């Protein structure tokens, strides 16, 4: 069953990428094995599916996107099943009391050499506007200083499938993949470095357009 779901997800991701006409910069910077953490800006439900499309079928079972527990697991039974069994999300709650469970789930995934997909803005924002990063990624980086953190800038997906819409608009979209970075010893300095890497990738996208 797991393999069938992976194949369906893989084919779905490839079809969506064909519809979008995706452009990818620096695909060679993607990790070829875990543990690793992918960090991307977040504007659309397409973001996770498109990130899945970057990897071969054999690696899909290693990918573990982090997703809002209230939205994905507690509102709609079908969405909850899809999130748990197809995307295999690691839920994150807005309640501070559940932080320990979240970080424990991340630790278990990294121990199994899986690859986390994290959106440090916390939620889908305004298309082509990057919101302030939350500190969860800094806590993970500090806890696992040897795990590579790969920044990924996504452009266009927020307009191809905006928040609240259900039909994909075929637009040229970009994925720019940065070089792996590691914990640098200080939370604010690490977050600043991550933001600067994302801005550099955004600038590269403009030069390539």
């Amino acid at each position: 069953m797991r393999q069938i779901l992976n194949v369906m997800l893989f084919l779905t991701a490839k079809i969506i990428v064909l519809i979008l006409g995706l452009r990818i910069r620096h695909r060679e910077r993607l990790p070829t094995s875990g543990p690793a953490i992918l960090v991307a800006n977040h504007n659309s439900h397409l973001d996770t599916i498109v990130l899945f499309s970057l990897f071969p079928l054999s690696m899909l079972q290693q990918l573990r996107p982090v997703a809002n527990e209230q939205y994905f697991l507690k509102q709609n039974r079908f969405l909850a099943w899809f999130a748990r069994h197809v995307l295999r999300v690691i839920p994150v709650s807005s309640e501070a009391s559940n932080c320990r469970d979240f970080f424990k789930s991340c630790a278990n995934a990294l121990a199994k050499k899986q690859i986390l997909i994290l959106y440090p803005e916390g939620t889908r924002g305004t298309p082509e506007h990057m919101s302030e990063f939350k500190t969860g990624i800094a806590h993970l980086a500090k806890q696992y200083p040897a795990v590579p953190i790969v920044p990924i800038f996504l452009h266009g997906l927020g307009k191809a499938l905006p928040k609240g819409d259900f039909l994909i608009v075929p637009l040229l979209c970009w994925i720019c993949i940065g070089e792996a970075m590691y914990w640098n010893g200080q939370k604010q300095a690490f977050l600043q470095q991550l933001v600067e890497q994302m801005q550099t990738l955004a600038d590269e996208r403009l030069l390539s357009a």
Side-chain angles (χ1 to χ4, degrees):
M1 183 65 175
R2 176 74 255 159
Q3 187 60 21
I4 293 173
L5 292 176
N6 279 343
V7 171
M8 292 174 61
L9 176 60
F10 182 77
L11 293 176
T12 301
K14 293 298 182 185
I15 290 170
I16 288 174
V17 166
L18 280 176
I19 294 172
L20 291 174
L22 197 66
R23 298 290 186 269
I24 304 169
R25 283 183 57 82
H26 303 306
R27 181 190 281 268
E28 74 280 1
R29 293 174 176 173
L30 287 171
T32 55
S33 63
I37 303 174
L38 309 182
V39 176
N41 56 313
H42 194 24
N43 285 156
S44 171
H45 279 323
L46 290 175
D47 296 343
T48 300
I49 298 295
V50 166
L51 290 175
F52 271 72
S53 78
L54 300 176
F55 291 88
L57 174 60
S58 60
M59 285 187 67
L60 289 199
Q61 61 184 3
Q62 296 182 44
L63 302 178
R64 301 296 307 278
V66 170
N68 183 285
E69 181 179 39
Q70 182 64 33
Y71 183 88
F72 281 93
L73 301 183
K74 295 188 175 180
Q75 295 193 92
N76 178 292
R77 188 175 297 180
F78 172 76
L79 182 59
W81 181 89
F82 183 79
R84 286 187 188 281
H85 299 286
V86 180
L87 297 179
R88 300 177 67 234
V89 304
I90 293 176
V92 58
S93 171
S94 56
E95 297 177 15
S97 58
N98 294 330
C99 279
R100 183 174 294 180
D101 291 340
F102 166 68
F103 285 112
K104 184 178 179 181
S105 296
C106 291
N108 289 337
L110 293 173
K112 294 176 183 175
K113 300 186 183 303
Q114 295 177 337
I115 300 172
L116 304 184
I117 298 175
L118 202 71
Y119 301 107
E121 293 165 284
T123 187
R124 290 168 294 162
T126 305
E128 320 317 344
H129 174 77
M130 202 153 49
S131 302
E132 184 177 354
F133 288 179
K134 298 183 183 301
T135 58
I137 181 58
H139 289 298
L140 283 172
K142 181 179 181 180
Q143 199 166 359
Y144 305 98
V147 172
I149 295 169
V150 181
I152 299 179
F153 179 73
L154 307 173
H155 177 83
L157 296 165
K159 292 182 178 177
L161 186 65
K163 193 173 184 177
D165 282 11
F166 298 96
L167 291 176
I168 298 174
V169 178
L171 293 173
L172 180 61
C173 299
W174 288 83
I175 294 183
C176 300
I177 300 157
E179 295 182 349
M181 54 182 289
Y182 297 86
W183 174 244
N184 61 14
Q186 208 279 332
K187 184 173 73 174
Q188 288 304 323
F190 174 83
L191 289 172
Q192 182 61 34
Q193 183 183 355
L194 180 58
V195 169
E196 289 174 358
Q197 283 244 31
M198 296 293 276
Q199 188 57 55
T200 298
L201 294 172
D203 294 342
E204 281 189 24
R205 201 282 308 173
L206 284 174
L207 293 174
S208 301

